[in-house]
Amino acid sequence: MAETDPAVRRVRAVCPHDCPDTCAMQVDVENGRAVRLRGADDVPFTRGTLCSKVAHYLERTYSPERLRTPMKRVGAKGEGRFAPIGWDEALDTIATRFREIAATDPRAILPYSYAGTMGLVQGSSMDRRFFHRLGASFLDRTICAEAGFQGYKATIGATLGTDPEAFPEARYILIWGANPVVSNLHLWARIVEAKRHGARVVCIDPVRSLTAEKSDWHLAPLPGTDGALALALMHVLIRDGLCDDDYIARYTVGFDALRARVADWTPARAAAETGLAAADIERLAHEYGEPGRPAVIRANYGLNRCAGGGSAMRAISCLPALTGHWRVPHGGILLSTSGTYGADGAALERPELYPADPRFPPRHVNMSAIGDALLEAREPPVRAIMVYNANPVAVAPESARVRAGFAREDLFVVVHELFQTDTADYADILLPATSQLEHWDIHKSYGHLNVMVNEPAIAPLGEARPNTWVFRELARRMGFDEACFSETDEEIGARAFRRDHPRSGNIDLATLRSEGWQRLALPTPYAPFAEGNFPTPSGKCEFHSATLAQQGHDPLPHYVPPREGPRSNPALAARYPLAFVSPPSRHFLNSTFANLPRFLRAEGRPWLDMHPADAAARGLGDGTRVRIFNDRGAFHAWLRVDAGTPGVREGVVSAPSIWWQKLSGDGCNANAVTSQALTDLGGGATFYDCLVEVAAAG
Ligand SMILES: Nc1nc2c(c(=O)[nH]1)N[C@H]1C(S)=C(S)[C@@H](COP(=O)(O)OP(=O)(O)OC[C@H]3O[C@@H](n4cnc5c(=O)[nH]c(N)nc54)[C@H](O)[C@@H]3O)O[C@H]1N2
Ligand SMILES: Nc1nc2c(c(=O)[nH]1)N[C@H]1C(S)=C(S)[C@@H](COP(=O)(O)OP(=O)(O)OC[C@H]3O[C@@H](n4cnc5c(=O)[nH]c(N)nc54)[C@H](O)[C@@H]3O)O[C@H]1N2
Ligand code: SF4
Ligand SMILES: [Mo]
């Protein structure tokens, strides 16, 4: 037994991945080797279980494929051939090139990172300080959630929402653009609990996801049409007197304007946009607005990856104020809990280090269009890119452009990684990174309300080093001598939360270490907007947003159709009639785990789910190898056509993602066809706003 064997040490850890659950893990270490890893059983949100990916995290940690030493490129760019060098040579080479480029214009250097680890220290501290001090281009990190965030914030004020711990009490749960069975397992466990107590669970998804399959009612709209559905729901709620007039009067602004706006959004009009039946829209509105049964919405990012993703989230987030569902903890809407925390971004990232050089006003580069940025940015062109916590060649839209950008001979590419990813193949200098078991970190969550500490369980493998170490060493070589560049990881972590913040003032490292976790200073469960107090400029839920008006947007909820919808873009649909989505596979986490044998075996092959009617129209059968294509590119997959329970609605095809391109069979993945066009709010990526045609592979 681990607990009693003195040779075994038990270490508290946290799952670092981009997943709302942020699970607490416990690692048993024997003679310096991690021998067992599982969910910490004393932390309530995780309740002792990890998902089937991270339950095997030791296979990732000890994979023979781990990068173990710094390397330099010896082959052609992109070929992926490297020779080992020492850390000194690697860091000196980088510092020399960065100094050279910065002498002309530091904005020609671009960091590229996302959520390889969500830790506050390894995810966004020393790296940001380094690039701020350098005066590098700013990366706008929009690839996942920014559209939804902006839409939600316009209505609610911040990313605060229903406490996930309250879901078991809910009796009506609307899962909208989310697939919690796959991407938010521990919330799903609470939804199952609610179901056991009689809750009705409804899922809105063009795909028959694992969640849709387990729900009581599945509505499958066309991708990118959720905004139209939300406006029609409001139309019916108002028309049929299903609103909470007292809540509206006390805690909202702009109701009269909203009522006028949705007056012509009849269910029939929304049916024409969404491809749903008008009667189903009526019924959904009546179920959602049923008096005396507060509903909760789990809205998530599946619905924000289309041209109108921001507006859609904005409209949806109006619903619980209209009905007053916010009055109880188990009512309202949950997009993300991230705004509940008082994380101290300024202390972590030190934006004031950015040099005030009038020659170089700040330049922003949007990560969702990295291909275009690498190929087209002027004043200045990007001359160096440093990638860490991310795999853009696999995950960024329009692969052909992304690859062409990374393949530029005159672009200096540094990649810090655990594995030789599609992106790593393009590195000039490739650096080995530590896994979560090898470094220190502190974590908030976007799917619960706790804070946790990750203690290193084992020494770094080979010469792997944490992100903070790399940027500390680079700062030293660049001559950056501000005190913040010599802070230890724990010193950084101790500053992660604002002590003066009403909800995170209680967070304290000593308690975290002894207890393993701390909940924010909130009751359990809590009802954030039972009595208004919205963090908007007006303090109310803003049906009418003066902020949006100031920014030049429509101040009222409205519908922005998909750029590439089969109904909204008939000219393009004539050539490419199928709406293509590529949501997460349950066996991969973005492109993470998609190189490890266990998960490749479990996923089997790149799949494309198609409705039997669409397959028949093309003479395609289940199991056929097909080519999915549009003007941007093409990739191959194996067709899945289920005649009994179709995996997708008619007119939609879905490719579970994200495959490594070099492991997918044809060197391409779903992003061969996706677009770099951006969302209406937030400059987000539009992965699921994409028309294609499908044919048998030649
Ligand atoms: N196993 C696993 N878990 C993950 C991830 C992973 O890759 N694998 N990724 C993590 C990350 S980074 C994120 S952002 C989250 C993503 O997880 P979610 O926020 O749940 O988002 P998606 O899985 O992209 O989409 C959810 C569902 O929305 C559907 N959908 C697609 N387009 C539309 C639309 O226009 N309208 C509506 N209503 N639905 C639509 C998709 O078919 C999908 O079933 O999951 C995290 N968790
Ligand atoms: N077609 C399509 N494309 C998509 C999506 C989709 O649904 N469909 N989803 C989009 C979404 S929601 C997101 S969030 C993005 C995700 O895009 P990314 O954030 O790029 O996610 P990953 O592919 O998981 O790549 C993270 C990489 O970071 C590395 N890493 C992990 N820990 C560390 C560390 O401590 N240090 C360093 N240096 N590296 C580390 C991992 O090994 C991994 O290769 O993809 C987007 N792309
Ligand atoms: S990926 Fe999500 S569900 Fe899996 S262990 Fe990590 S936080 Fe938990
Ligand atoms: Mo994401």
Side-chain angles (χ1 to χ4, degrees):
M1 268 287 286
E3 289 89 334
T4 54
D5 182 343
V8 177
R9 199 162 55 88
R10 177 159 292 176
V11 181
R12 287 188 180 280
V14 182
C15 174
H17 293 299
D18 189 350
C19 169
D21 297 36
T22 318
C23 289
M25 312 194 292
Q26 59 190 42
V27 190
D28 292 340
V29 183
E30 205 176 323
N31 301 320
R33 191 176 169 90
V35 292
R36 187 159 173 259
L37 174 146
R38 55 194 201 90
D41 39 27
D42 57 350
V43 178
F45 194 79
T46 309
R47 295 180 183 169
T49 58
L50 304 174
C51 66
S52 54
K53 299 173 294 298
V54 176
H56 302 286
Y57 195 76
L58 294 184
E59 288 174 25
R60 177 172 163 81
T61 304
Y62 290 115
S63 162
E65 309 276 301
R66 280 282 300 276
L67 298 174
R68 284 166 185 267
T69 151
M71 296 192 281
K72 68 176 178 194
R73 169 163 75 94
V74 292
K77 198 112 182 176
E79 197 188 343
R81 284 203 299 129
F82 298 96
I85 52 175
W87 270 108
D88 278 333
E89 183 182 342
L91 294 166
D92 288 343
T93 308
I94 299 167
T96 304
R97 282 303 290 273
F98 280 8
R99 253 199 310 272
E100 219 170 79
I101 294 170
T104 320
D105 188 338
R107 300 170 306 168
I109 302 168
L110 178 69
Y112 189 105
S113 73
Y114 201 63
T117 166
M118 298 287 293
L120 292 168
V121 176
Q122 303 302 338
S124 56
S125 68
M126 206 50 96
D127 57 320
R128 304 295 212 276
R129 297 174 183 185
F130 176 80
F131 289 111
H132 287 152
R133 172 68 177 79
L134 182 60
S137 279
F138 288 88
L139 183 74
D140 289 340
R141 292 176 170 81
T142 56
I143 202 161
C144 171
E146 204 50 32
F149 271 21
Q150 294 307 325
Y152 190 89
K153 280 186 192 166
T155 306
I156 309 283
T159 50
L160 273 75
T162 307
D163 186 344
E165 300 285 6
F167 273 65
E169 302 307 316
R171 292 299 168 265
Y172 193 84
I173 302 176
L174 185 49
I175 301 174
W176 200 332
N179 185 9
V181 173
V182 165
S183 57
N184 192 186
L185 195 61
H186 297 83
L187 181 69
W188 179 252
R190 284 155 177 78
I191 294 173
V192 168
E193 220 176 307
K195 251 171 151 303
R196 264 205 311 273
H197 294 113
R200 179 166 166 82
V201 177
V202 178
C203 178
I204 303 177
D205 193 320
V207 174
R208 189 179 156 83
S209 66
L210 288 173
T211 304
E213 202 175 296
K214 294 177 166 63
S215 296
D216 298 304
W217 187 22
H218 173 205
L219 289 116
L222 287 166
T225 63
D226 304 276
L229 176 57
L231 293 169
L233 293 180
M234 292 197 258
H235 171 99
V236 177
L237 291 168
I238 295 172
R239 184 197 68 195
D240 295 351
L242 298 169
C243 295
D244 181 333
D245 298 333
D246 178 64
Y247 193 93
I248 291 171
R250 284 174 197 255
Y251 306 130
T252 72
V253 290
F255 176 71
D256 291 338
L258 178 71
R259 180 172 47 203
R261 172 58 60 90
V262 301
D264 56 0
W265 270 103
T266 59
R269 182 176 170 195
E273 297 290 340
T274 57
L276 297 172
D280 283 340
I281 299 174
E282 293 269 358
R283 178 173 160 206
L284 180 64
H286 280 259
E287 287 188 5
Y288 177 78
E290 186 181 306
R293 184 185 64 181
V296 66
I297 301 173
R298 169 50 169 169
N300 221 39
Y301 303 114
L303 72 87
N304 95 150
R305 309 198 202 291
C306 290
S311 301
M313 199 66 84
R314 160 125 172 87
I316 292 167
S317 56
C318 292
L319 288 163
L322 218 48
T323 50
H325 292 332
W326 283 123
R327 288 184 189 274
V328 293
H330 54 276
I333 179 169
L334 172 62
L335 171 61
S336 164
T337 57
S338 59
T340 323
Y341 296 81
D344 194 341
L348 289 164
E349 303 182 1
R350 305 297 296 268
E352 80 285 358
L353 292 168
Y354 190 84
D357 185 333
R359 293 174 302 160
F360 307 129
R363 193 262 292 268
H364 287 256
V365 171
N366 188 334
M367 75 188 312
S368 299
I370 188 64
D372 284 352
L374 292 178
L375 293 171
E376 289 169 10
R378 301 284 171 262
E379 296 172 30
V382 179
R383 296 177 60 203
I385 185 166
M386 181 154 177
V387 179
Y388 55 100
N389 284 343
N391 184 11
V393 170
V395 311
E398 205 178 351
S399 308
R401 301 277 293 167
V402 179
R403 281 185 174 276
F406 273 94
R408 271 174 44 203
E409 277 301 334
D410 62 336
L411 178 73
F412 178 60
V413 180
V414 181
V415 178
H416 186 212
E417 249 300 345
L418 286 88
F419 293 97
Q420 192 174 330
T421 59
D422 289 330
T423 308
D425 282 344
Y426 286 87
D428 292 292
I429 300 286
L430 179 53
L431 307 171
T434 39
S435 80
Q436 183 76 342
L437 303 193
E438 298 151 59
H439 55 230
W440 195 92
D441 219 328
I442 185 162
H443 288 257
K444 58 186 258 199
S445 165
Y446 63 98
H448 56 69
L449 296 167
N450 305 322
V451 177
M452 289 171 294
V453 158
N454 179 79
E455 305 278 357
I458 58 173
L461 296 196
E463 292 179 60
R465 293 292 178 268
N467 296 355
T468 44
W469 183 90
V470 171
F471 288 104
R472 231 179 252 121
E473 288 295 313
L474 280 177
R476 195 163 62 77
R477 282 174 169 77
M478 301 289 290
F480 300 165
D481 52 11
E482 288 81 359
C484 71
F485 288 109
S486 44
E487 277 177 10
T488 64
D489 291 355
E490 296 184 33
E491 283 166 349
I492 299 171
R495 297 173 183 283
F497 294 97
R498 281 172 40 203
R499 307 295 309 203
D500 63 350
H501 188 274
R503 296 182 292 268
S504 47
N506 61 322
I507 302 302
D508 144 77
L509 276 185
T511 313
L512 283 172
R513 284 194 155 135
S514 57
E515 305 298 315
W517 65 288
Q518 274 186 292
R519 183 171 161 91
L520 293 175
L522 296 165
T524 304
Y526 90 119
F529 309 123
E531 294 171 9
N533 295 317
F534 289 88
T536 52
S538 65
K540 301 188 170 187
C541 177
E542 299 196 342
F543 298 142
H544 179 279
S545 164
T547 312
L548 282 180
Q550 270 158 26
Q551 295 165 354
H553 296 291
D554 187 336
L556 289 170
H558 63 286
Y559 176 54
V560 176
R563 196 174 282 109
E564 301 194 4
R567 300 183 183 204
S568 52
N569 192 342
L572 188 64
R575 289 193 294 143
Y576 302 119
L578 297 166
F580 172 72
V581 297
S582 47
S585 150
R586 73 182 309 188
H587 303 112
F588 303 156
L589 208 144
N590 299 321
S591 76
T592 300
F593 299 104
N595 62 322
L596 299 177
R598 171 189 296 275
F599 306 105
L600 285 167
R601 257 195 323 271
E603 187 64 14
R605 296 165 163 183
W607 301 108
L608 185 78
D609 292 303
M610 186 183 263
H611 192 274
D614 291 322
R618 289 165 180 76
L620 299 170
D622 184 52
T624 313
R625 186 155 190 258
V626 292
R627 181 167 175 269
I628 300 102
F629 61 99
N630 61 19
D631 289 339
R632 290 178 289 266
F635 74 103
H636 292 84
W638 277 265
L639 204 62
R640 276 195 305 215
V641 184
D642 187 332
T645 48
V648 286
R649 64 157 288 149
E650 214 173 326
V652 174
V653 284
S654 171
S657 291
I658 304 172
W659 282 81
W660 282 27
Q661 294 171 353
K662 60 180 162 186
L663 301 180
S664 67
D666 67 347
C668 295
N669 68 11
N671 285 318
V673 294
T674 56
S675 153
Q676 292 183 80
L678 303 176
T679 52
D680 52 348
L681 298 175
T686 55
F687 292 108
Y688 304 167
D689 192 330
C690 176
L691 285 173
V692 298
E693 181 52 291
V694 177

